[in-house]
């Protein structure tokens, strides 16, 4: 037998923020990461998924798109991988895949851990779906929950095991940039998929009424054409931008705005804070707990158009300066260090 692994982590894809997290974990723990697939047809940009920076031991079940994988073949491969090694803990990244169900029922409950990224807002807890989740959780001894909205989901499902709050879903890229004295020019930024749940239509209605403000929307998705038809000239659409080139968007805008109806976390919030950008965020986003009203941004009700508009209009040069100080004082490094320690 090989040496004992602290964790075997089985997860969907090598998303850059997961790879960064595992690179940190491997400095302190002996881990093996098994990726279900190497790519996906749903992603923010081309460099969102990559293994080129991986410094940990890993295996890949399906070298291709996640959506076209053979589940039965994957389970056979998992069985073979786990048969040949010893490990303390098995960590699965959700309850949405048959591969995860196979793993939690073929291992002892005391070994099983779950990284939970779903929140109370997008998960059903009643009827058959709730029951299915309860069955899954009955096989889990530790849950690594991203934040408070995730913990609320566990409470609603009457989970009785150990809960560790990680305050994150991974670790962002941190490119070097010259710190700048920001000046408020009423430039707002949205980065992400253009889908119904992101609730961008409400932002377009608001910014259509605010011609002296600009909104830059970076991303693609099924809503794009419909949104473009609605938008006036102060709303700029850009195609998805590679993660390593996003820096310019953060440096050339004043405030990130995220009005999602629900969002399991919202990594872009951490990226904005890293670049010293205040954030206006929906209370239904997991990462809203990183934002304190009036300190580094504002938390909004995504369904209240007047409230969102008033929040935007309330920001002036003085308020903006205070928000920027708050964003600068938020330590992403500290947050990431604590995230890693939860696993150690």
């Amino acid at each position: 037998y090989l040496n004992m692994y602290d964790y075997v982590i089985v997860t969907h894809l090598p998303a850059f923020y997961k790879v960064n997290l595992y690179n940190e974990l491997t400095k302190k723990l002996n881990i093996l990461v098994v990726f279900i697939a190497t790519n996906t047809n749903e992603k923010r940009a081309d460099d969102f998924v990559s293994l080129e920076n991986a410094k940990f031991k890993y295996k890949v079940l399906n070298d291709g798109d996640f959506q076209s994988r053979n589940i039965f073949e994957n389970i056979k491969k998992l069985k073979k991988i786990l048969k040949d090694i010893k490990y303390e803990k098995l960590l699965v990244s959700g309850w949405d895949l048959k591969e995860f169900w196979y793993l939690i029922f073929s291992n002892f409950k005391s070994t099983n851990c779950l990284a939970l990224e779903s929140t109370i807002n997008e998960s059903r807890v009643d009827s058959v779906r709730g029951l299915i989740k309860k069955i899954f959780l009955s096989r889990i001894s530790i849950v690594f929950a991203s934040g408070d909205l995730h913990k609320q989901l566990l409470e609603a499902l009457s989970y009785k095991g150990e809960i560790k709050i990680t305050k994150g879903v991974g670790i962002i890229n941190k490119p070097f940039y010259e710190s700048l004295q920001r000046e408020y020019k009423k430039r707002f930024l949205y980065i992400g998929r253009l889908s119904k749940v992101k609730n961008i239509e409400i932002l377009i209605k608001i910014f259509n009424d605010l011609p002296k403000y600009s909104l830059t929307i970076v991303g693609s998705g099924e809503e794009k054409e419909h949104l473009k038809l609605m938008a006036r000239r102060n709303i700029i659409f850009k195609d998805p931008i590679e993660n390593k080139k996003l820096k310019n968007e953060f440096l050339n805008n004043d405030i990130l705005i995220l009005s999602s109806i629900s969002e399991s976390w919202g990594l872009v919030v951490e990226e904005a804070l890293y670049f010293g950008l205040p954030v206006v965020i929906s209370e239904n986003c997991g990462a809203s707990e990183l934002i304190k009203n009036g300190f580094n941004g504002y938390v909004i009700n995504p369904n209240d158009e007047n409230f969102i508009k008033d929040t935007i209009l309330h920001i002036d040069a003085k308020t903006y300066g205070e928000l920027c100080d708050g964003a600068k004082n938020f330590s992403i490094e500290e947050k990431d260090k604590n995230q890693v320690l939860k696993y150690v």
Side-chain angles (χ1 to χ4, degrees), residues 29-85:
L29 297 163
N30 189 14
I31 64 170
L32 171 68
V33 183
V34 182
F35 294 103
I36 303 276
T38 48
N39 216 331
T40 172
N41 57 29
E42 295 174 8
K43 57 191 172 194
R44 193 173 80 180
D46 284 341
D47 65 345
F48 202 75
V49 181
S50 164
L51 274 163
E52 83 191 42
N53 301 322
K55 298 179 175 65
F56 47 87
K57 295 188 200 113
Y58 68 85
K59 292 183 184 294
V60 173
L61 300 183
N62 176 47
D63 191 15
D65 269 0
F66 173 78
Q67 289 77 5
S68 56
R69 73 195 195 281
N70 180 325
I71 294 168
F72 183 67
E73 280 302 311
N74 273 1
I75 289 174
K76 274 189 356 197
K77 288 177 190 169
L78 278 169
K79 193 173 178 179
K80 190 174 180 319
I81 290 168
L82 296 180
K83 196 172 105 295
D84 295 336
I85 58 174

Side-chain angles (χ1 to χ4, degrees), residues 80-340:
K80 190 174 180 319
I81 290 168
L82 296 180
K83 196 172 105 295
D84 295 336
I85 58 174
K86 283 190 162 180
Y87 49 95
E88 292 268 350
K89 297 280 182 204
L90 175 84
L91 175 66
V92 295
S93 296
W95 46 41
D96 56 331
L97 306 185
K98 294 188 174 76
E99 288 94 335
F100 296 154
W101 282 82
Y102 161 74
L103 289 168
I104 63 156
F105 278 98
S106 58
N107 276 277
F108 291 115
K109 176 179 176 173
S110 57
T111 309
N112 293 339
C113 306
L114 166 68
L116 178 68
E117 292 176 16
S118 308
T119 74
I120 187 79
N121 297 320
E122 70 263 340
S123 298
R124 297 284 297 274
V125 294
D126 52 359
S127 69
V128 177
R129 287 194 185 172
L131 182 65
I132 289 168
K133 287 165 189 153
K134 284 178 179 175
I135 292 168
F136 192 95
L137 287 171
S138 74
R139 302 285 311 147
I140 300 289
S141 65
I142 302 173
V143 177
F144 294 93
S146 301
D148 195 51
L149 291 172
H150 311 76
K151 189 174 172 217
Q152 285 176 34
L153 173 58
L154 292 170
E155 286 162 357
L157 292 166
S158 317
Y159 176 67
K160 296 286 180 276
E162 188 180 350
I163 302 172
K164 296 185 178 211
I165 304 278
T166 59
K167 287 222 187 285
V169 293
I171 292 177
I172 61 166
N173 292 331
K174 296 172 185 142
F176 174 77
Y177 71 98
E178 295 284 347
S179 186
L180 66 165
Q181 189 56 47
R182 289 185 173 275
E183 183 190 336
Y184 190 40
K185 296 179 184 164
K186 302 180 178 175
R187 300 169 302 181
F188 284 71
L189 173 67
Y190 167 85
I191 299 172
R193 280 190 61 72
L194 309 187
S195 58
K196 266 268 190 278
V197 73
K198 301 289 190 176
N199 198 26
I200 303 158
E201 202 167 294
I202 204 166
L203 295 182
I204 292 195
K205 285 180 188 161
I206 291 166
F207 281 88
N208 277 346
D209 275 352
L210 300 172
K212 291 195 164 70
Y213 290 70
S214 73
L215 172 65
T216 300
I217 295 173
V218 180
S220 64
E222 60 277 13
E223 291 276 289
K224 188 163 194 172
E225 291 316 308
H226 160 66
L227 294 169
K228 280 174 103 166
L229 287 172
M230 285 178 63
R232 295 202 173 144
R233 287 174 59 182
N234 58 327
I235 299 171
I236 304 125
F237 286 83
K238 293 188 178 184
D239 287 333
I241 296 171
E242 286 192 353
N243 197 267
K244 54 179 169 286
K245 294 181 184 156
L246 268 180
K247 172 165 113 171
N248 299 330
E249 296 304 323
F250 291 114
L251 296 178
N252 294 328
N253 284 286
D254 305 327
I255 293 174
L256 179 80
I257 189 160
L258 208 57
S259 56
S260 308
I261 299 298
S262 83
E263 179 130 7
S264 55
W265 188 249
L267 201 74
V268 67
V269 173
E270 294 183 35
E271 293 171 320
L273 291 171
Y274 171 75
F275 286 105
L277 214 65
V279 179
V280 173
I281 187 172
S282 155
E283 63 195 5
N284 295 346
C285 295
S288 63
E289 65 185 82
L290 304 180
I291 302 304
K292 291 191 181 71
N293 273 319
F295 174 69
N296 55 3
Y298 294 99
V299 179
I300 51 162
N301 172 347
N303 304 309
D304 190 336
E305 193 178 325
N306 289 333
F307 181 77
I308 301 171
K309 192 174 179 179
D310 289 346
T311 302
I312 291 167
L313 291 171
H314 166 75
I315 300 167
D316 56 21
K318 179 178 174 296
T319 327
Y320 183 68
E322 290 162 4
L323 294 175
C324 288
D325 289 344
K328 267 205 210 85
N329 286 329
F330 181 88
S331 171
I332 287 282
E333 298 294 343
E334 201 55 40
K335 188 197 96 24
D336 290 342
K337 211 162 74 192
N338 289 333
Q339 187 178 184
V340 169

